[in-house]
Amino acid sequence: MEDLDFMREALSLARQAAELGEVPVGCVITRGTEIVGRGYNRRETDKSALAHAEIQAIDEACRALGGWRLWECTLYVTLEPCAMCAGAILSARIPRVVYGASDRKFGACRSVCSLFDMNFNHHPQVVSGILEEESAALLRAFFQNLRVELRSRPKWRKPAGE
Ligand SMILES: [Zn+2]
């Protein structure tokens, strides 16, 4: 299995999120050729701001491997990690991060800031742009559908005369 194969797994988890009406982001964590953690965005389902794909995958991987240090692992995620998730990646000592699409609004690995280049005690290697177009297309389709759906809901229509 290579980066592309694991990103395909992450992408299929992102599709699961989309099916639940969640912003489609998916994540897998590997050790060697084995997937040890999986996650997808569940913020609406769990009603939690913390329910990002990466946090769930890190939690699952820690349980699977029986410890909080994921220093032999690679994290694959379809969207550039935010500051919270990049912080969790540092805390878990994950040495390598592979992501698909950039996140200009929240990305903390390059777009808004580069947390991994800052003066922390740990500096994960970052590979970006793997399955970027597929990951971004999934997000675009989700937000397009959401706009159409919101427009069709009466409560979201502006009152007449505005
Ligand atoms: Zn995040």
Side-chain angles (χ1 to χ4, degrees):
M1 295 269 273
E2 296 192 4
D3 283 351
L4 204 57
D5 299 307
F6 291 125
M7 275 301 279
R8 285 206 183 95
E9 280 294 314
L11 203 57
S12 87
L13 287 161
R15 288 196 190 97
Q16 282 188 40
E19 278 165 25
L20 289 176
E22 303 274 359
V23 175
V25 181
C27 177
V28 299
I29 295 177
T30 62
R31 189 175 67 167
T33 57
E34 190 193 353
I35 293 178
V36 293
R38 289 180 168 83
Y40 55 83
N41 176 36
R42 299 173 51 95
R43 279 180 302 184
E44 303 294 342
T45 307
D46 292 359
K47 303 198 176 0
S48 169
L50 310 180
H52 285 196
E54 299 95 311
I55 300 295
Q56 311 216 337
I58 288 171
D59 193 39
E60 195 177 300
C62 288
R63 286 166 203 276
L65 299 177
W68 60 269
R69 290 181 194 83
L70 303 179
W71 53 276
E72 293 176 314
C73 295
T74 297
L75 181 144
Y76 297 85
V77 60
T78 55
L79 182 67
E80 181 180 355
C82 71
M84 172 178 73
C85 294
I89 287 163
L90 291 177
S91 292
R93 309 288 190 270
I94 295 172
R96 185 161 181 269
V97 173
V98 179
Y99 70 82
S102 302
D103 186 350
R104 275 182 299 147
K105 289 181 185 163
F106 285 98
C109 296
R110 213 159 271 177
S111 296
V112 176
C113 67
S114 299
L115 213 64
F116 299 156
D117 295 335
M118 294 172 82
N119 200 20
F120 293 106
N121 191 23
H122 180 68
H123 303 279
Q125 180 205 344
V126 177
V127 178
S128 63
I130 307 289
L131 290 187
E132 179 174 12
E133 189 39 52
E134 290 84 343
S135 301
L138 198 59
L139 286 160
R140 267 199 308 274
F142 175 82
F143 285 111
Q144 251 155 30
N145 288 341
L146 188 65
R147 277 194 292 272
V148 169
E149 197 190 312
L150 292 182
R151 242 179 272 138
S152 72
R153 282 189 204 167
K155 64 176 177 179
W156 285 86
R157 282 201 191 114
K158 283 183 184 170
E162 269 187 34

